[in-house]
């Protein structure tokens, strides 16, 4: 069982084990972060490591996994990356296509918010690498997004202790809230630009700006 294996690894390796488990969430998307992150919090509540150590190691694991995926996208390119995704068990090529389209539309914002959306958090690093997004900016946004997501789930697992499994049932609600927030932000941006064009603003030459990577 995944949960038993994850807890055992954390107990054996401490914080490093937590980093490895969370990093695998990026490399193998079917491993859900909504499951492994509360387990890190649960392990912290048992005294395997402190809560601050749990947050540090899980975030380090998230960023390390994301960087590996980023470089894979950069080195392989779009076509070979897409072909590789098709070979991953339980993953569909359309998952990559949707993530790529989201990155194309929202650019750097997609990396930050994508770290807080299940499945997208694993794939968002691929198009960032394919498009050769600025690495320091990628690292900053990935770290911030991962820290927010990890804090919520690790903290919940820490507070719930033996009842850590209850966290997973709330993950879907949080996911919808994040997606709704992004949709509202984009809609407001588009409406503002359209109004500027209607008023003849010379700087409003396009509805959406060119993405800076």
């Amino acid at each position: 069982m995944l949960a038993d294996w994850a807890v055992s690894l954390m107990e054996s390796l401490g914080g490093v084990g937590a980093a490895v488990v969370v990093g695998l969430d990026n490399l193998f998307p079917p491993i859900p972060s909504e499951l492994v992150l509360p387990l890190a919090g649960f392990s912290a509540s048992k005294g395997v490591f402190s809560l601050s150590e749990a947050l540090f190691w899980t975030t380090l694991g998230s960023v390390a996994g994301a960087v590996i995926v980023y470089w894979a996208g950069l080195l392989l390119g779009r076509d070979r990356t897409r072909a590789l995704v098709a070979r991953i068990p339980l993953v569909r090529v359309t998952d990559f296509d949707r993530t790529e389209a989201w990155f194309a539309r929202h650019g750097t914002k997609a990396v930050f918010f994508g770290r807080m959306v299940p499945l997208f958090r694993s794939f968002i690093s691929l198009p960032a690498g394919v498009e050769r997004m600025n690495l320091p900016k990628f690292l900053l946004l990935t770290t911030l997004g991962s820290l927010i997501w990890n804090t919520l789930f690790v903290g919940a697992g820490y507070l719930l202790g033996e009842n850590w499994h209850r966290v997973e049932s709330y993950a879907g609600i949080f996911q919808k809230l994040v997606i709704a927030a992004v949709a509202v932000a984009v809609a407001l941006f588009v409406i503002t630009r359209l109004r500027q064009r209607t008023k003849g603003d010379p700087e409003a030459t396009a509805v959406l700006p060119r993405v800076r990577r």
Side-chain angles (χ1 to χ4, degrees):
M1 183 178 178
L2 177 61
D4 294 334
W5 170 79
V7 171
S8 176
L9 190 64
M10 292 179 198
E11 290 178 344
S12 300
L13 302 179
V16 176
V20 170
V21 172
V22 176
L24 288 175
D25 166 46
N26 292 268
L27 303 177
F28 190 65
I31 297 179
S33 62
E34 309 93 282
L35 172 65
V36 297
L37 288 172
L39 285 172
F42 169 61
S43 296
S45 71
K46 292 175 58 180
V48 175
F49 35 66
S50 67
L51 178 59
S52 59
E53 288 175 327
L55 292 174
F56 170 79
W57 285 107
T58 55
T59 301
L60 180 63
S62 294
V63 175
V67 169
I68 292 174
V69 175
Y70 171 92
W71 279 105
L74 187 149
L75 295 174
L76 294 175
R78 183 183 183 278
D79 292 339
R80 284 187 292 178
T81 295
R82 195 170 184 274
L84 178 63
V85 169
R87 296 176 179 271
I88 300 176
L90 305 180
V91 175
R92 296 172 298 179
V93 174
T94 52
D95 295 327
F96 170 75
D97 293 339
R98 285 196 296 266
T99 306
E100 184 181 41
W102 198 34
F103 180 82
R105 292 182 62 185
H106 307 305
T108 55
K109 293 186 290 294
V111 174
F112 174 73
F113 287 106
R115 300 303 304 175
M116 294 176 274
V117 179
L119 195 60
F120 275 88
R121 60 181 280 104
S122 300
F123 282 116
I124 194 61
S125 302
L126 282 174
V130 170
E131 296 298 327
R132 298 177 181 272
M133 178 181 177
N134 178 269
L135 184 56
K137 183 180 292 185
F138 171 80
L139 288 173
L140 176 62
L141 294 172
T142 298
T143 300
L144 292 176
S146 298
L147 181 59
I148 293 173
W149 179 259
N150 293 359
T151 298
L152 287 171
F153 284 86
V154 172
Y158 182 83
L159 293 174
L160 289 172
E162 295 285 352
N163 295 315
W164 61 267
H165 57 277
R166 293 173 56 188
V167 177
E168 192 174 5
S169 62
Y170 296 103
I173 298 175
F174 183 74
Q175 174 186 350
K176 292 176 182 177
L177 289 175
V178 172
I179 294 175
V182 174
V184 170
V186 172
L188 290 175
F189 178 82
V190 172
I191 291 172
T192 300
R193 282 303 175 88
L194 287 173
R195 287 178 176 175
Q196 289 175 342
R197 293 184 67 188
T198 301
K199 294 179 180 179
D201 187 341
E203 295 184 358
T205 56
V207 175
L208 292 175
R210 182 179 180 180
V211 175
R212 295 181 61 188
R213 304 189 180 98

